[in-house]
Amino acid sequence: MGSATEYNRRDLFKRAAAITVLAAGGTSLLAACAGGSGSGDSASGASPALGSDSKNPFGVKATDKLDVVIFTGGYGDDYAKQFEESYKKAYAGAVVSHLGTQEISGKLQPRFNAGSPPDVFDNSGAQAMKADVLVGADQLTDLTVLLDAPYLDDPSKKIRDVLLPGTIEAGTINGKMYSLSYVYTVFGLWYSAKLFKDKGWAVPKTWDEFITLCGTIKAAGVSPFAHQGKYPYYANYVILSMIAKQGGQDLVKRINACEAAAWDDPAVLKAVTAFYQIMEKDYLLPGTNGMTHTESQTAWCQGKAAFIPSGSWLENEMLAATPADFDMAFLPIPALAGDKLAATALWAGAGEPFMVPSKAANKAGGLEFLRMMLTKESSSTFVKAANSLTVLKDGVNPDVQLKPGTKSSAEAIKAAEATFSFTLQELQTAADAEIQNATNELVNKRISPADWVARGKAATSKKV
């Protein structure tokens, strides 16, 4: 299935985290030139003033054309076409043009250069435009006005009040929000609820229970744990989550900042030592260390392994290989004794960034399109089409029948007392590559947990 599939599928979530940390760094790559000189009105990124009409706060003119561009990746673009129909109903007479493409930069760069960008676009995929470059060239609209606009389903609330944690931060550069990251993903362990029910296995809440259960699973002739060995960062979803829950939010921030001393925190060694029990006790699916994501996930769907780490795209990705009665379920990483974060805490974040160009002909319409995306009806439309959650709190209508994995993810998000996110994969790629290499050595039992920690600390000196 190749690395291209791997890159494109995860790119949406990675880019969101990258934007978050760029807010702190503030370095724009203007040498790359986003197109257009950014000259003229210095406030071209400004938004329309927020009006008093809760039904039309941006002052949309129904006769103005709306120009929409959507990345046709794993989610397709049918959901967006339904959003466009809703827009046309709300603004009778509006003509909406739609382009679905995987060539975001290729299609839009010439338009930005010519000063005629679309009114709203989904900036995802391998050819996404560089958000920091667009901001540096004054090509994007500040979406703060969207956050302060009334929520369509309940005008007594503002949009900012109905977004899941981390959504605003994911779209923030230099202190301003320039993109609405629409998809919310969680990272953790996955299992077949049917398999567990058939075998009478209880879902573990603590890591000690997890390790004990792994012994029971192995005795039953099933491999306890599979992972996507050719992509070691999947295993890091487990290791880093354990570090976060043991060490707390401050330690997450220090690791994200590539602070060498962060790796001396006792939580790091404790977490990786606990994870290493999987290898020590021979709980890995044979061959999983050399498998691609699809190979290991297919074996897992076939019941050859009980647990596998992944993000919540897993269900949609594996639809063809998943038995109808599999009953996919999500599990936050089980708790270690002494954790600073609650057992329900999990790695989660927003991705799939939507943007409104500063030189859009119908900027008000672009903003309104985003506001309309954040209704329960629109969110439910997306969930049904993509088997993935949006950033809208409780954003699924009761009558929507979620697939088991998506339902399980939604329940975990609702129950989470805290969320956290690591950004090494996005912004410290050289350091992250070293950590992934260390994880590869660890799962092959060629280094010890202490060695892994030492390599992680040394990796902080690696620069992109």
Side-chain angles (χ1 to χ4, degrees):
M1 293 293 292
S3 60
T5 301
E6 186 66 16
Y7 178 86
N8 291 337
R9 187 163 47 83
R10 263 163 229 40
D11 183 67
L12 349 162
F13 305 108
K14 291 183 176 182
R15 184 166 294 104
I19 291 172
T20 303
V21 182
L22 282 167
T27 302
S28 60
L29 307 176
L30 290 179
C33 191
S37 64
S39 60
D41 182 5
S42 62
S44 62
S47 301
L50 199 61
S52 59
D53 183 358
S54 63
K55 293 183 178 179
N56 186 10
F58 307 119
V60 175
K61 296 178 181 177
T63 54
D64 286 352
K65 177 181 176 182
L66 182 71
D67 188 344
V68 182
V69 176
I70 301 294
F71 171 67
T72 52
Y75 304 127
D77 62 350
D78 285 345
Y79 72 90
K81 292 176 182 177
Q82 293 184 61
F83 295 168
E84 291 158 11
E85 289 301 315
S86 296
Y87 183 92
K88 287 190 286 187
K89 287 180 182 178
Y91 297 97
V95 175
V96 179
S97 66
H98 173 97
L99 172 65
T101 180
Q102 293 192 11
E103 301 174 14
I104 295 297
S105 182
K107 297 292 186 183
L108 296 189
Q109 186 75 64
R111 296 189 58 182
F112 273 91
N113 290 344
S116 58
D119 300 313
V120 61
F121 70 106
D122 172 13
N123 192 35
S124 270
Q127 294 189 34
M129 303 188 76
K130 293 182 182 297
D132 60 327
V133 176
L134 290 172
V135 171
D138 203 16
Q139 295 288 327
L140 295 181
T141 298
D142 177 2
L143 299 183
T144 303
V145 69
L146 172 68
L147 298 177
D148 292 330
Y151 172 47
L152 270 164
D153 291 344
D154 181 357
S156 69
K157 297 178 181 179
K158 296 180 179 180
I159 291 294
R160 66 171 70 248
D161 299 327
V162 298
L163 301 176
L164 285 168
T167 303
I168 295 173
E169 292 81 359
T172 297
I173 298 177
N174 298 337
K176 294 181 179 180
M177 178 175 164
Y178 288 101
S179 66
L180 171 67
S181 294
Y182 190 61
V183 183
Y184 205 73
T185 192
V186 297
F187 304 85
L189 293 175
W190 297 80
Y191 64 97
S192 164
K194 178 183 184 298
L195 175 65
F196 272 55
K197 182 179 179 180
D198 290 349
K199 298 292 187 181
W201 298 334
V203 178
K205 295 181 179 179
T206 69
W207 193 257
D208 285 345
E209 290 174 356
F210 173 82
I211 292 298
T212 299
L213 176 61
C214 284
T216 301
I217 292 170
K218 185 176 180 181
V222 178
S223 293
F225 190 87
H227 73 110
Q228 302 81 341
K230 287 195 174 181
Y231 305 105
Y233 59 82
Y234 281 91
N236 283 345
Y237 292 150
V238 183
I239 297 172
L240 293 175
S241 291
M242 294 173 77
I243 290 172
K245 295 173 84 162
Q246 179 71 194
Q249 298 283 15
D250 183 63
L251 182 56
V252 173
K253 293 177 183 177
R254 293 169 64 202
I255 290 175
N256 282 338
C258 264
E259 181 184 321
W263 295 81
D264 295 327
D265 190 300
V268 180
L269 181 58
K270 182 175 180 179
V272 74
T273 299
F275 174 77
Y276 193 63
Q277 292 177 80
I278 294 173
M279 278 62 69
E280 282 185 312
K281 297 178 182 294
D282 195 26
Y283 289 156
L284 287 181
L285 172 70
T288 194
N289 286 343
M291 291 182 181
T292 65
H293 59 296
T294 48
E295 290 169 343
S296 61
Q297 291 161 193
T298 298
W300 172 71
C301 286
Q302 293 170 345
K304 296 177 182 178
F307 292 104
I308 196 165
S310 187
S312 47
W313 59 76
L314 178 66
E315 184 168 46
N316 204 54
E317 180 174 64
M318 300 307 294
L319 284 176
T322 306
D325 60 351
F326 190 78
D327 201 6
M328 193 178 296
F330 173 78
L331 176 68
I333 304 303
L336 281 174
D339 276 355
K340 289 185 177 179
L341 297 184
T344 58
L346 48 82
W347 185 343
E352 193 80 0
F354 281 73
M355 301 171 176
V356 176
S358 59
K359 296 182 180 179
N362 187 8
K363 190 184 296 185
L367 289 165
E368 181 66 6
F369 186 80
L370 296 184
R371 191 171 77 112
M372 294 179 73
M373 286 170 58
L374 293 167
T375 64
K376 205 157 190 173
E377 188 63 35
S378 293
S379 178
S380 298
T381 293
F382 180 83
V383 171
K384 286 187 288 186
N387 298 307
S388 293
L389 301 171
T390 75
V391 295
L392 182 68
K393 291 178 183 176
D394 298 321
V396 185
N397 283 326
D399 62 335
V400 175
Q401 288 193 327
L402 299 177
K403 289 192 177 296
T406 305
K407 181 180 180 181
S408 182
S409 298
E411 291 170 349
I413 292 169
K414 193 170 184 178
E417 293 183 38
T419 62
F420 54 85
S421 181
F422 286 93
T423 58
L424 294 168
Q425 292 179 18
E426 298 79 37
L427 298 180
Q428 305 291 347
T429 55
D432 181 63
E434 291 293 315
I435 296 169
Q436 288 193 50
N437 289 339
T439 297
N440 183 54
E441 295 295 291
L442 185 77
V443 296
N444 282 287
K445 299 173 69 173
R446 292 193 286 261
I447 64 172
S448 70
D451 294 330
W452 187 92
V453 175
R455 289 193 180 198
K457 183 175 182 178
T460 61
S461 65
K462 301 288 183 180
K463 302 303 178 186
V464 179

